[in-house]
Amino acid sequence: MIIPVRALNDLGIARFASWLDIPEGDPPKELLIDGSVTDVVDGGSMIDTSREFATSYDLGLYLAREVFNVPGDRLALLANAGMWAWISLLFIESLLAKKKKPGKPLAKPHYIMQSPRLAYRLIARTAWDLVSLHGESAKVALGSSRSPWGDMAEQMTSRQEIYSHRSFWPVACALYAMPDGSIKRGTTTKRHKDARRDPESRVGLGSVQRLPFTFRQFERTYNLRQMTGDQIVALLPDEYRKWRQA
Amino acid sequence: MGQISRTTNPTGLKQIDRKHFVARVKDDGPNGRVFWLESFDFESARIDPGVRMGCVAHAGATEEYFDLGPVSDFNKSPLSLEGIATDKPLKFRFMFNEPGESLLVGYADGVRAIDEAGNLGSSLVDIEPRKLDGVAWKLVLPEGSGTGDKPNVLVEMSLFPTAAIAVSNPWFGVLVMPEVMRQIAMAIAHDPDALDDPESWIEPWSAFISAIGVDAPVASDEDDVAARQDWADRVVERFAAKGIYKHHLAKAMAEMDGAKS
């Protein structure tokens, strides 16, 4: 069914939040068209309630290409907490855990905007925004079919200096993405303190946690905004060699 | 292009002093917020006239790149900041490269619009006037772990229209800054390893903590809030022993006694 995009009001968000706290029974989808807890969002955007998504990237692609496909005020859309809560509830089946506790919700910030600091974790909102900003490159963070919000999504969206960096995402895609949309093994391995202090240790080198740091260093020397992804990849230091080759 | 390591600078590029830039920001009503580079003293910055200048405007997780053209005839017209967050500090990074080259000959980081930056110079915290809807101030700690970020003290702009006014206000100095220091100290105590992690925003605070004569915090049990509070108290006490704090305190006390500030 195609219906206008709506937004949950405070009462609607509270009732959705209650279900997220104690997810017993079906999600409260009756809220979606309840005029006492929702309002239609200005702009005339329409949405297909029957859609399901294998990955968060697919959700972002649908929202970017078919729902919010008219140029508009990106910041206003991002700030519409009620609308993103409504979209999260609408597509909740696609946004629940798949491996650990399958069918149960992830943490509440993945569905409801609780603070600006954690807004990046709101899956539907970030998926739409990343696909709008980076196109297919967003798949490297959101393309997991094992979880709607994996470690890769967390690492690539929690750092604000790379979130909207248009040169970073194609490079991350070239280094870490597999042809089938999954990511290479070890991509999210962290380089802990002990490894940093051990010159022999290669644990975590070249991982996605390191790439923003490398980018920051290279931005001191190159105008990365004017370079292609391939040019940047060719420039990266030795610790990225295995990722280039794999 | 050849490879370089992340710790070398074989190209000899210049870090250009922010004082050579005059960036301006204006809320242009229906057109949204705009910025323009009012002036750039390329001769004082020792940049050749034909060198091209680019600019990244960034605030929080939003950013936009602008090609401003040759430094001797750069684009001075207002440029839209429509996609840039308005609730985060707005900063600019300027980059300079020869035409047709990606290699930089110079850069400047953390340039603020003159309207917003006041005259703070370099410090470990930013101060940013904002509409806070009745709240006088609040501290925003950096999200993520970028070293380019600093804690940002948002101040109600009707109280402090510019950062410079806040900095010079003795009540701001004696009532706000110690609590800012305490919150930052608690964040440091929560993650003491970050003091020697060059990838963390906390790392630049290592020298400050040392300079005020406090030992680095010891990594404590996650639940040991009391130990972290004790350490933060010591940091605040040492912070309050600094000359600038005493100066503000003296001015505030004089004001209470009837002197004009």
Side-chain angles (χ1 to χ4, degrees), chain A:
Chain A
M1 183 167 58
I2 310 287
I3 63 171
V5 174
R6 305 179 74 93
L8 290 174
N9 60 22
D10 289 347
L11 181 59
I13 291 174
R15 288 171 62 181
F16 182 27
S18 295
W19 180 82
L20 291 169
D21 286 334
I22 307 172
E24 293 174 352
D26 293 334
K29 287 200 148 187
E30 68 279 2
L31 301 176
L32 292 169
I33 51 171
D34 182 341
S36 67
V37 294
T38 64
D39 297 300
V40 172
V41 172
D42 293 339
S45 297
M46 305 294 287
I47 198 163
D48 184 349
T49 61
S50 66
R51 295 292 295 259
E52 290 186 14
F53 305 96
T55 69
S56 298
Y57 173 76
D58 294 334
L59 169 59
L61 192 65
Y62 169 66
L63 294 173
R65 296 247 176 105
E66 298 182 45
V67 179
F68 305 116
N69 52 359
V70 178
D73 186 342
R74 170 176 170 246
L75 295 179
L77 271 182
L78 286 172
N80 194 336
M83 183 188 77
W84 292 112
W86 185 86
I87 292 174
S88 298
L89 177 57
L90 175 62
F91 295 129
I92 190 71
E93 288 83 2
S94 300
L95 299 173
L96 299 174
K98 295 176 182 173
K99 290 288 181 186
K100 286 182 187 171
K101 298 182 182 177
K104 296 293 183 190
L106 305 174
K108 210 186 292 182
H110 292 302
Y111 311 100
I112 291 174
M113 202 187 304
Q114 293 190 295
S115 77
R117 195 174 65 80
L118 297 178
Y120 71 92
R121 287 185 177 162
L122 213 164
I123 302 170
R125 175 182 183 269
T126 295
W128 162 74
D129 197 32
L130 290 181
V131 172
S132 302
L133 287 170
H134 306 299
E136 196 171 357
S137 295
K139 191 184 282 187
V140 71
L142 303 169
S144 171
S145 58
R146 301 171 63 189
S147 171
W149 191 261
D151 205 13
M152 192 67 171
E154 179 68 22
Q155 291 203 29
M156 289 196 66
T157 58
S158 61
R159 291 170 174 255
Q160 57 186 16
E161 72 270 26
I162 60 166
Y163 180 95
S164 53
H165 195 308
R166 291 180 198 273
S167 300
F168 181 89
W169 287 72
V171 171
C173 226
L175 291 176
Y176 307 120
M178 298 285 278
D180 65 357
S182 62
I183 58 167
K184 295 173 185 171
R185 187 181 174 88
T187 294
T188 57
T189 300
K190 293 175 181 168
R191 186 162 172 80
H192 290 294
K193 190 177 180 183
D194 290 345
R196 289 202 304 270
R197 289 178 172 172
D198 177 4
E200 299 295 316
S201 171
R202 298 192 64 77
V203 174
L205 284 179
S207 70
V208 70
Q209 192 194 30
R210 298 269 304 160
L211 190 60
F213 184 56
T214 304
F215 246 67
R216 204 160 48 239
Q217 294 292 328
F218 274 62
E219 284 212 297
R220 296 194 173 278
T221 313
Y222 289 91
N223 187 341
L224 298 178
R225 320 283 168 156
Q226 294 185 336
M227 297 171 70
T228 66
D230 287 344
Q231 286 175 317
I232 297 170
V233 168
L235 199 65
L236 294 175
D238 189 54
E239 72 172 274
Y240 295 91
R241 185 173 50 192
K242 79 166 184 174
W243 301 101
R244 276 196 295 259
Q245 294 168 342

Side-chain angles (χ1 to χ4, degrees), chain A residues 158-162 209-210 212-217 219-220, chain B residues 6 18 58 91 109-110 123-126 142-151 193-206:
Chain A
S158 61
R159 291 170 174 255
Q160 57 186 16
E161 72 270 26
I162 60 166
Q209 192 194 30
R210 298 269 304 160
F213 184 56
T214 304
F215 246 67
R216 204 160 48 239
Q217 294 292 328
E219 284 212 297
R220 296 194 173 278
Chain B
R6 65 179 178 78
R18 297 174 200 160
H58 57 98
K91 295 179 186 175
D109 269 333
S123 77
L124 289 166
V125 296
D126 283 330
E143 297 170 17
S145 57
T147 45
D149 286 338
K150 298 175 183 177
D193 285 351
L195 283 169
D196 60 6
D197 179 0
E199 298 179 34
S200 168
W201 69 266
I202 288 175
E203 192 265 351
W205 285 85
S206 177

